Amino acid sequence: KILGAAGVLVGHPFDTVKVHLQTDDPKNPKYKGTLHCMKTILLVDNIRGLYRGISSPMMGIGLVNAIVFGVYGNVQKLSENPNSLMTHFNAGVMAGIAQSFICAPMELAKTRLQLSKYIDNQPKFKGPIDCLLYVQKTEGIRGTFKGLWATILRDIPGFASYFVSYEFLMQLKEKPSVPYVLVAGGCAGMASWLACYPIDVVKTHMQSDALGKRAKYNGFVDCAINNYKKEGIPFFFRGLNSTLVRAFPMNAACFFVVAWVLDFCKKNGIDMIENPNQNLNVVNLDNLTHAYFQNDFGKDDTLVRKIISENASEQHESALESSYGSFLDYYHNDQIYESKIRNSQLNISNTTNQS
């Protein structure tokens, strides 16, 4: 949740610019480009204008991330080859579909709040909850999920390309450094937007459209065709520059928080394994069974991948782990205990033979 919130704080101003550019009138444009749009919003509404609608993604980011990584991890777990690029692709597709049902109403509220000051017939909302309650009251539950299919169509290629490109870049380096991981995350974020951006433009137009009888579009296809007839191909790439600029620092902020959290855990004695050559690969050992570590996995990074992909954690803690306070203490004492038993058995055997 902290990781996602950091990304939202860094990236939301660029998202606001993206939405304004996507919905700008091409025949009578207000903005000349990304920087001009940002400057105009600041002049009209100060810094507050760039952060309008941020409460919606802030409220939902924890749940969205839980769904995304929960589905992603379980699809990997069920796969015969968890680390293949095809598995990452399939896991990304399923994660994208699953989180869309939360993301669609969340982004509906965000978009309407971002544009509320600039649309004359747009009701002025106090926040995302007020916005969604108004939509539900006037248009029913169907209005709350306006743009759902567009969100699903966007997030299928978006999440699939993100996870595949990130994993591909990580596999190129045997021992990736923290800067390399940051760059890989940023590049993966940009790749995901390039894969789904035209669909995102259509989704934004649908979600910013008027409600009920005043609506301009009958659906996703109608919105795409009508705007293509008016503007051609450029319609589908409006605001792309600001989106790509946003993607890199947003992912960089997320990984920076990861590094900070790891450092915090290390300083406070939280029981974690950290590969010294891969600073961001960590796993909690509290609930792992003794037998699991008797297998020979070779390098530390292989062990970490094995634990993460197979989700081999056992949901119980042995009495000896509690007594000695950590797994390593338990393992050490267990080996001593077994050694004493073997010595005792040898002594008894020798005594018997002597008799």
Side-chain angles (χ1 to χ4, degrees):
K1 189 173 180 179
I2 296 173
L3 184 149
V8 172
L9 284 171
V10 172
H12 192 79
F14 294 100
D15 183 76
T16 301
V17 171
K18 178 202 76 169
V19 170
H20 278 263
L21 290 172
Q22 286 178 340
T23 56
D24 195 17
D25 185 358
K27 295 181 179 179
N28 186 25
K30 298 178 185 176
Y31 315 113
K32 298 176 183 178
T34 300
L35 293 177
H36 182 253
C37 178
M38 185 174 289
K39 184 178 178 180
T40 303
I41 294 172
L42 286 170
L43 289 172
V44 173
D45 203 15
N46 299 320
I47 191 69
R48 185 174 49 185
L50 292 175
Y51 281 95
R52 282 193 182 277
I54 194 173
S55 54
S56 180
M58 277 292 197
M59 289 171 60
I61 193 67
L63 181 57
V64 167
N65 282 341
I67 293 172
V68 167
F69 290 104
V71 172
Y72 179 79
N74 278 285
V75 172
Q76 275 192 294
K77 178 183 176 182
L78 296 173
S79 173
E80 293 181 357
N81 188 3
N83 293 319
S84 69
L85 293 181
M86 182 54 68
T87 296
H88 288 285
F89 178 87
N90 293 332
V93 167
M94 296 306 297
I97 294 173
Q99 63 88 48
S100 295
F101 293 90
I102 301 298
C103 194
M106 184 180 81
E107 292 199 0
L108 174 72
K110 175 186 71 71
T111 300
R112 291 180 182 272
L113 288 166
Q114 285 173 326
L115 299 172
S116 62
K117 198 174 180 67
Y118 299 83
I119 302 177
D120 295 333
N121 60 356
Q122 171 78 43
K124 302 301 183 285
F125 305 112
K126 298 176 182 178
I129 302 298
D130 182 43
C131 176
L132 291 175
L133 287 174
Y134 174 84
V135 174
Q136 198 278 330
K137 182 178 179 181
T138 55
E139 287 294 308
I141 194 68
R142 185 177 179 181
T144 306
F145 284 92
K146 188 173 186 178
L148 173 61
W149 285 110
T151 305
I152 292 174
L153 289 173
R154 179 198 68 178
D155 289 343
I156 286 176
F159 278 97
S161 59
Y162 176 81
F163 287 118
V164 169
S165 58
Y166 179 76
E167 184 64 22
F168 173 77
L169 290 171
M170 292 299 290
Q171 289 179 6
L172 294 177
K173 287 273 189 178
E174 185 178 352
K175 297 177 180 179
S177 62
V178 172
Y180 182 86
V181 173
L182 295 174
V183 171
C187 290
M190 295 173 72
S192 69
W193 276 112
L194 287 171
C196 69
Y197 192 77
I199 303 173
D200 184 70
V201 176
V202 178
K203 180 195 75 70
T204 299
H205 274 259
M206 291 180 63
Q207 293 186 325
S208 62
D209 192 18
L211 300 171
K213 296 179 180 179
R214 294 184 289 116
K216 292 186 289 185
Y217 310 115
N218 294 323
F220 179 85
V221 176
D222 182 53
C223 178
I225 292 175
N226 276 314
N227 284 286
Y228 173 74
K229 288 179 179 178
K230 292 178 184 178
E231 301 178 52
I233 294 295
F235 163 75
F236 297 102
F237 294 94
R238 271 206 255 156
L240 178 61
N241 290 340
S242 64
T243 303
L244 294 179
V245 171
R246 166 200 175 212
F248 205 98
M250 186 170 181
N251 285 278
C254 290
F255 284 103
F256 174 81
V257 172
V258 170
W260 181 84
V261 170
L262 296 182
D263 185 59
F264 176 83
C265 293
K266 186 177 181 181
K267 289 180 179 178
N268 288 273
I270 297 176
D271 190 16
M272 305 182 81
I273 273 186
E274 183 175 351
N275 187 345
N277 297 320
Q278 297 183 19
N279 293 332
L280 296 179
N281 287 342
V282 296
V283 62
N284 195 318
L285 289 180
D286 285 344
N287 297 322
L288 295 177
T289 58
H290 172 87
Y292 188 82
F293 287 91
Q294 290 178 338
N295 295 311
D296 182 15
F297 294 120
K299 298 180 180 179
D300 288 345
D301 59 336
T302 306
L303 171 61
V304 171
R305 281 186 175 275
K306 183 79 173 175
I307 297 168
I308 294 173
S309 62
E310 294 186 0
N311 192 23
S313 297
E314 299 284 344
Q315 297 302 315
H316 69 275
E317 182 179 6
S318 70
L320 283 172
E321 284 178 338
S322 299
S323 301
Y324 292 106
S326 70
F327 177 81
L328 294 177
D329 288 339
Y330 161 65
Y331 181 81
H332 176 70
N333 283 279
D334 184 53
Q335 292 293 93
I336 294 173
Y337 179 70
E338 290 179 359
S339 178
K340 288 182 177 180
I341 291 176
R342 285 194 297 269
N343 290 335
S344 297
Q345 290 173 339
L346 287 172
N347 290 334
I348 293 172
S349 178
N350 291 335
T351 302
T352 303
N353 291 334
Q354 291 173 1
S355 300

